Each structure stands twice: as C-alpha cells, then as structure tokens.
C-alpha cells in the first residue's frame, strides 16, 4: 500500500491498540461501561472532574442522566469492595467534555487503568511503571513528573493555616508561583520555618533519585514520608531515570493522597497522562478500598507526529457509463493486488491528490497522468 499503518490509522487509534496490549500483558482486565450515568454521581464529585461541564438529559423514567465526562467515577460506582483482593482494570472509552481549545463539547477517546482494593507499595510501583511504559508507547522522548501529596500535605499542615488558605496555596504551587505562596502564607500568619520548607519543595524540578537525595538532605524531619518515596524510587530501577520530582503536580487533597503524577511527550504542549492515588475519593463514595490509576488523553495525540501525505491515493481509475463492469472490477483488483491504494470513479474528485490518473477504456487501463 502507498501508506503504512501509521498513516492508515490515526495516532490515537494506534495508541489504543498498543496500550491495550501493554495493560493485558500486566494482568489488567478490560472494563466496559455505559455511555451515561445518573447526573447525581457527577454533581456530588464535580471537583474531581477535569471539567465541571456535563451534558445532561432526562431519561424516560424522569431521572436526570449525563453522558459520562469521566471513567474513574463510573468504575468506582460499579465495582465492589473485596477484603484483601485487588481489581486491576483497564478501559478505552469515549468521554464527553468541553474542549479547552474550542470551548465546545467534544467526544474524546481516553485510555487508562485502575488498581482498586488492597493497594500497597508494589501496586504504586506497578502503576507508575505502566504510566512510564504508556508514554514510551507514544514517544521515546517523554518525562513523567511525580509528586508526593503525603509529604506536601505534612509540610502544609505545619504552616498552621485554614483549609481555604491551603486551597489557595495549592493553586499557587500548581503554577510554581513562589511569590503567591509566600504572600498567602504570610497573610494567614503561617509558621515561617514551615513556609521556608514549602518553598523548598515548590522549587524542586529534579530527576527522581536526585530529588529524593535532596529531600533527605534538606528536609530530614520528614524522613517517614521521604523513606516511602525512596523505596518506590529504588523499586522502579532504571525507569526512575525518566521521572522527575516536581511538587507542582497537585490535585485536590480531599480526593487524592500519596503519589500523583503527570506525563508529557515532546511535541505536545500539554500533559497527555495524569493519575495518582485517590483513596479520598473512594471514602467519599462509601468505599473502604484504596485505589490508584491514570488516564491517557488521546485527543491530544491527534496531530502528534503527523505529517501530511504527499498523495491521498496511489491511483484514480476513471471509467465511463456503459463500460464492462466485470472487467472494471477486475482491473481495479489487479491494481490493488500491486499494493496500490485505488479509488474508482467517473469523475476526478476535486482536490484529491494522486500519483497516477488512469482511465478504463475498451477493457484496458491507460495512464493519463503521472505525478510521482
């Protein structure tokens, strides 16, 4: 064929096939769900959503329903706690969200996985490893930014400020806005020693192993949290080399805890992967299990690495009314047997680019034009 598989399939479609294979190989089972849920599920957890805008409709029984803007909430709702057990699930689903670019609703393809149940450090390492492998399936030029909300939360607790101020601080931390962090903390009368430690964290952007060493040197009083992070870093081995310690990766602490992360590939201006531990969300939804997972945002890959092909098809085969249809079909199949992409029509389509313009006359194929 004129085009290889990477051109026949869109980037995000290729990613789905590769990621499915990756997750199946690690023992994660496919999970399918309905396109919609009761709106109340999202209304009660709107701060967990990437976008609070939800498409709603009234079901035939009068219930207010919503096209799902998120997969994780549906999985939590439709799975059960099982003491001492783990549920390892992956999905590829369409979600319905407002696009940041157009501000209009779009149907977006999303792939991800969830590990729910008796989650321990091994599970955290496995999910981080799979997040790195997922990025590597997209591009070798990637980075996974990792943060630890347990450590960040411990330092923020020592500030001795109220919850509203903590929320403001998290917003500034997410933007690496040290000026804003200092301004809010001092306005609230925060402990200055703790503020200095928080600013140290916000300033980090180091390879994961080097970051752990720096933490131990600069913040030894938080050894309990640092030791947990160090244990995970060691277990990740060489994969930790593609990860960076960056405490600007923050999420709502009422939903998330522990390790959170965000993945980037060179050539895409936004994070293409996001995830973390969300025990808080599980508790808010009446679950006793722990959980960690991530999602890959495939809509961001639509133009990644794409190059416009020089030709739309290898050949256009023109024919006239009254020609021998059996001979025309045979001629087209002969061309396609030569690994050519061929379109057959009576009139040259406007704007179509082809290598060869052919005509079927008197039972034969003749060349009218060659553009190669």
């Amino acid at each position: 064929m004129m085009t290889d598989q990477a051109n026949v399939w869109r980037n995000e479609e290729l990613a789905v096939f590769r990621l499915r294979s990756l997750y199946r190989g690690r023992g994660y089972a496919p999970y399918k769900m309905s396109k919609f849920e009761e709106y109340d599920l999202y209304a009660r957890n709107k701060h967990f959503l990437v976008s609070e805008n939800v498409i709603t409709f009234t079901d035939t029984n009068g219930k207010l329903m919503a096209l799902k803007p998120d997969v994780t909430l549906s999985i939590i709702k439709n799975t059960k706690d099982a003491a001492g057990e783990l549920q390892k699930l992956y999905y590829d689903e369409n979600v319905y969200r407002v696009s940041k670019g157009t501000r209009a609703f779009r149907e977006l393809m999303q792939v991800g996985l969830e590990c729910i149940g008796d989650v321990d450090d091994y599970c955290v390492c496995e999910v981080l490893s799979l997040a790195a492998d997922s990025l590597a399936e997209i591009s070798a030029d990637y980075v996974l930014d990792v943060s630890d909300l347990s450590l960040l939360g411990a330092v923020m607790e020592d500030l001795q400020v109220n919850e509203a101020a903590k929320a403001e601080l998290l917003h500034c931390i997410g933007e690496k806005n040290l000026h804003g962090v200092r301004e809010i903390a001092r306005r609230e009368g925060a402990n200055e020693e703790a503020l200095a430690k928080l600013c140290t964290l916000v300033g980090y952007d180091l390879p994961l192993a080097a970051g752990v060493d720096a933490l131990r040197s600069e913040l030894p009083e938080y050894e309990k949290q640092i030791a947990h992070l160090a244990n995970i870093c060691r277990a990740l081995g060489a994969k930790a080399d593609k990860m960076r310690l960056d405490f600007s990766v923050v999420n709502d602490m009422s939903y998330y805890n522990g390790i959170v992360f965000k993945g980037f590939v060179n050539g895409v201006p936004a994070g293409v992967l996001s995830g973390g531990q969300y025990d808080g969300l599980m508790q808010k939804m009446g679950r006793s299990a722990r959980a960690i997972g991530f999602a890959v945002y495939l809509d961001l890959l639509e133009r990644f690495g794409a190059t416009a092909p020089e030709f739309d098809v290898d050949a256009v085969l023109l024919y006239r009314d009254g020609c021998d249809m059996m001979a025309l079909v045979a001629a087209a199949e002969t061309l396609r047997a030569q690994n050519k992409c061929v379109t057959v029509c009576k009139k040259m389509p406007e704007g179509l680019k082809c290598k060869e313009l052919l005509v079927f006359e008197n039972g034969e194929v003749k060349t009218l034009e060659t553009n190669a």
Side-chain angles (χ1 to χ4, degrees):
M1 288 290 239
M2 173 194 69
T3 53
D4 61 18
Q5 188 184 41
N7 286 322
V8 173
W9 295 98
R10 296 182 301 172
N11 290 319
E12 65 270 32
E13 291 171 331
L14 278 174
V16 169
F17 289 116
R18 292 168 179 158
L19 295 176
R20 280 179 187 164
S21 178
L22 172 64
Y23 305 152
R24 281 199 302 267
R26 298 289 187 90
Y28 284 71
Y31 189 88
K32 299 300 292 183
M33 62 201 75
S34 170
K35 290 183 179 295
F36 43 84
E37 292 277 5
E38 291 185 32
Y39 172 70
D40 184 59
L41 172 65
Y42 305 116
R44 285 185 280 108
N45 298 285
K46 63 181 180 179
H47 296 300
F48 179 78
L49 301 175
V50 174
S51 168
E52 294 183 14
N53 296 289
V54 179
I55 300 175
T56 60
F57 64 95
T58 303
D59 202 354
T60 54
N61 59 11
K63 286 184 179 179
L64 186 62
M65 306 295 289
L67 287 174
K68 65 174 184 289
D70 177 84
V71 177
T72 300
L73 288 169
S74 291
I75 289 179
I76 296 172
K77 177 189 172 186
N78 294 296
T79 56
K80 304 293 184 182
D81 287 331
E85 294 186 9
L86 271 176
Q87 297 176 82
K88 295 184 176 184
L89 308 168
Y90 79 86
Y91 60 85
D92 61 279
E93 295 282 340
N94 289 332
V95 295
Y96 304 85
R97 293 179 181 162
V98 171
S99 168
K100 291 181 180 179
T102 65
R103 302 306 304 163
F105 277 106
R106 288 188 61 197
E107 184 178 31
L108 306 173
M109 193 183 300
Q110 183 174 303
V111 175
L113 60 80
E114 311 293 346
C115 184
I116 299 173
D118 188 17
V119 172
D120 57 13
D121 284 356
Y122 174 81
C123 299
V124 174
C125 289
E126 181 177 77
V127 171
L128 274 171
S129 176
L130 281 166
D133 289 343
S134 299
L135 293 170
E137 288 289 347
I138 297 167
S139 170
D141 192 3
Y142 75 87
V143 64
L144 186 65
D145 287 347
V146 179
S147 177
D148 186 348
L149 294 185
S150 297
L151 175 56
L152 183 62
V155 175
M156 290 183 68
E157 194 64 33
D158 290 343
L159 291 174
Q160 299 174 3
V161 298
N162 61 40
E163 293 303 314
K166 287 179 183 177
E168 289 184 78
L169 286 167
L170 276 178
H171 180 76
C172 290
I173 292 168
E175 297 179 341
K176 281 191 173 288
N177 180 358
L178 279 169
H179 174 75
V181 168
R182 293 188 181 100
E183 187 176 71
I184 294 165
R186 286 169 178 157
R187 182 196 72 201
E188 297 295 322
N191 179 287
E192 282 290 333
E193 185 178 350
L195 174 57
K197 294 170 184 174
L198 179 61
C199 290
T200 296
L201 289 185
V202 177
Y204 275 23
D205 184 9
L206 296 167
L208 186 56
V212 170
D213 290 341
L215 285 171
R216 281 191 154 142
S217 173
E218 297 179 292
L219 301 172
E221 58 270 51
Y222 298 102
E223 175 58 26
K224 179 181 178 181
Q225 292 86 358
I226 297 169
H228 175 252
L229 186 60
N231 186 44
I232 289 171
C233 180
R234 282 194 301 271
L236 286 166
K239 285 187 181 177
D241 296 341
K242 297 284 282 186
M243 301 180 190
R244 298 187 69 81
L245 187 63
D246 184 347
F247 286 93
S248 70
V249 180
V250 294
N251 289 313
D252 189 326
M253 286 188 175
S254 64
Y255 292 97
Y256 288 91
N257 63 292
I259 300 298
V260 292
F261 47 92
K262 184 171 286 189
F264 301 85
V265 295
N266 190 24
V268 180
V272 301
L273 180 151
S274 181
Q277 296 176 251
Y278 52 90
D279 297 351
L281 174 62
M282 297 291 286
Q283 292 163 12
K284 283 179 178 289
M285 294 183 66
R287 300 286 299 274
S288 60
R290 302 181 65 200
I292 182 171
F294 64 80
V296 183
Y297 305 115
L298 296 176
D299 58 298
L300 297 173
L301 305 181
E302 288 177 350
R303 298 177 184 84
F304 174 68
T307 56
E310 184 179 359
F311 300 105
D312 300 310
V313 294
D314 288 309
V316 172
L317 179 59
L318 301 178
Y319 68 94
R320 296 183 175 88
D321 286 331
C323 73
D324 184 336
M325 288 294 105
M326 288 181 63
L328 175 62
V329 169
E333 289 304 315
T334 298
L335 290 168
R336 293 184 180 118
Q338 299 168 17
N339 288 326
K340 291 183 178 180
C341 177
V342 181
T343 185
V344 181
C345 48
K346 289 192 288 189
K347 181 181 178 182
M348 179 67 182
E350 186 176 349
L352 188 73
K353 295 179 291 183
C354 64
K355 280 186 180 181
E356 293 180 287
L357 180 59
L358 311 172
V359 63
F360 182 75
E361 285 184 337
N362 301 322
E364 296 181 356
V365 174
K366 299 177 182 179
T367 300
L368 294 182
E369 184 180 330
T370 301
N371 298 313

